[in-house]
């Protein structure tokens, strides 16, 4: 059977039916959809613009309008030489469309938009299987997604693990930090360099996370969490990038929150 052809487009109309369709793809693709940005706010996000942040929803659709996948990401400019970066909040592809190149096409178009905006690269975060509990592993298996396979796919796309003790400030047990994630980064200045022999400025990491978290934590809490991350990282100037299949070395050393 011939795989369905698809096109990519950014959704800008809050009443676009692709928003609800992507919400269904998101819910079916992640083992804990309640921890993700709820689909009912997508319409607000794609129409909100400011000099500090622009959220975008990119979808892949067949000629008949079926949404095969999509990605929600933010463009986050920073002042000065840091330039800023994008942050990919979530990318998902339907089970039927997996293996057809939809995810790769979505990622490539996101990188194009990040580069066009003059930003330095693209951040994301992703669960690492060694830090999941048994219940979460079973729940994820039910979605048909293997977390180790997902990290291998993200590595193949060019994303690398930022080697610092990262966690999301909220979303875990009893509203505490969510600690089974790694921060990933795809630098855009590696055309002629080995992407595995790279680092990222800590100031870029903390600046982007502060900007990204401000939307739901508020400016003061976001700044405090970014400062705490810098403290945990030892205030180094640059943070090493590891293969995207790896978890940060802090966790391998048996550290606890």
């Amino acid at each position: 059977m011939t795989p369905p052809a698809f096109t990519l487009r950014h959704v800008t109309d809050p009443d676009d039916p692709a928003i609800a369709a992507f919400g269904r793809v998101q819910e079916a693709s992640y083992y804990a959809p309640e921890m993700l940005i709820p689909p009912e706010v997508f319409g607000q996000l794609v129409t909100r613009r400011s000099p500090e942040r622009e959220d975008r929803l990119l979808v892949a659709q067949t000629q008949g309008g079926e949404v095969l996948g999509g990605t929600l990401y933010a463009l986050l400019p920073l002042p000065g030489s840091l330039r800023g970066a994008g942050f990919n909040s979530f990318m998902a592809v339907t089970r039927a469309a997996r293996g057809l190149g939809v995810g790769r096409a979505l990622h490539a178009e996101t990188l194009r938009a990040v580069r066009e905006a003059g930003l330095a690269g693209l951040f994301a975060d992703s669960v690492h299987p060694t830090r999941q509990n048994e219940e979460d592993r079973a729940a994820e298996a039910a979605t048909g997604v293997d977390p180790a396979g997902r990290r291998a796919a993200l590595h193949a796309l060019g994303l690398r693990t930022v080697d610092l003790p990262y966690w999301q400030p909220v979303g875990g047990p009893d509203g505490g930090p969510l600690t089974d994630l790694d921060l990933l980064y795809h630098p855009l200045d590696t055309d002629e360099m080995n992407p595995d022999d790279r680092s990222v400025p800590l100031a870029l990491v903390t600046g982007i996370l502060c900007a990204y978290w401000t939307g739901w934590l508020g400016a003061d809490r976001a700044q405090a969490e970014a400062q705490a991350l810098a403290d945990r990282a030892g205030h180094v100037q640059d943070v090493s990038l590891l293969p995207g299949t790896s978890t940060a070395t802090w966790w391998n050393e048996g550290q606890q929150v």
Side-chain angles (χ1 to χ4, degrees):
M1 183 171 63
T2 303
F6 61 88
T7 58
L8 304 179
R9 69 179 180 91
H10 282 97
V11 177
T12 58
D13 181 351
D15 297 319
D16 193 314
I19 291 178
F22 175 66
R24 292 189 291 271
V25 174
Q26 173 179 275
E27 184 174 5
S29 301
Y30 196 63
Y31 69 101
E34 69 279 359
M35 294 192 301
L36 303 175
I37 297 174
E40 55 265 28
V41 306
F42 290 170
Q44 176 186 349
L45 290 177
V46 300
T47 56
R48 185 177 61 188
R49 299 283 188 275
S50 77
E52 295 79 28
R53 178 170 185 153
E54 179 179 339
D55 289 278
R56 295 185 177 185
L57 174 59
L58 176 68
V59 296
Q61 287 184 285
T62 66
Q63 185 175 5
E66 179 187 0
V67 173
L68 301 179
T71 185
L72 182 69
Y73 66 96
L75 301 176
L76 301 163
L78 294 177
S81 61
L82 290 176
R83 296 157 48 198
F87 198 106
N88 193 318
S89 299
F90 192 73
M91 180 168 68
V93 176
T94 65
R95 285 200 192 201
R98 291 173 190 170
L100 301 181
V102 176
R104 183 172 293 276
L106 288 165
H107 185 66
E109 176 59 19
T110 302
L111 290 179
R112 187 203 64 76
V114 169
R115 189 185 298 275
E116 183 178 67
L119 306 181
L122 178 69
F123 287 96
D125 55 22
S126 178
V127 170
H128 197 274
T130 62
R131 306 220 314 276
Q132 284 184 297
N133 60 41
E134 184 175 344
E135 181 181 357
D136 287 346
R137 282 195 295 270
E140 183 147 38
T143 70
V145 175
D146 168 30
R150 179 178 55 238
R151 291 294 288 265
L154 292 172
H155 176 86
L157 289 175
L159 288 148
R160 300 293 180 261
T161 298
V162 183
D163 192 16
L164 47 63
Y166 167 82
W167 53 75
Q168 284 187 4
V170 296
D174 301 317
L178 186 62
T179 60
D180 58 359
L181 299 159
D182 287 310
L183 184 67
L184 307 178
Y185 182 60
H186 188 147
L188 293 183
D189 58 353
T190 58
D191 293 343
E192 299 179 359
M193 305 182 74
N194 180 358
D196 291 319
D197 186 23
R198 298 292 292 152
S199 61
V200 58
L202 179 61
L204 178 62
V205 174
T206 56
I208 288 300
L209 291 176
C210 184
Y212 185 67
W213 288 335
T214 292
W216 66 87
L217 296 180
D220 291 345
R221 172 77 186 279
Q223 180 61 48
E225 292 290 348
Q227 179 63 44
L229 177 59
D231 293 343
R232 294 194 300 272
H235 294 274
V236 296
Q237 181 173 338
D238 297 302
V239 183
S240 297
L241 297 178
L242 307 175
T245 51
S246 300
T247 193
T249 55
W250 193 81
W251 299 102
N252 290 331
E253 294 167 355
Q255 302 286 347
Q256 300 292 327
V257 176

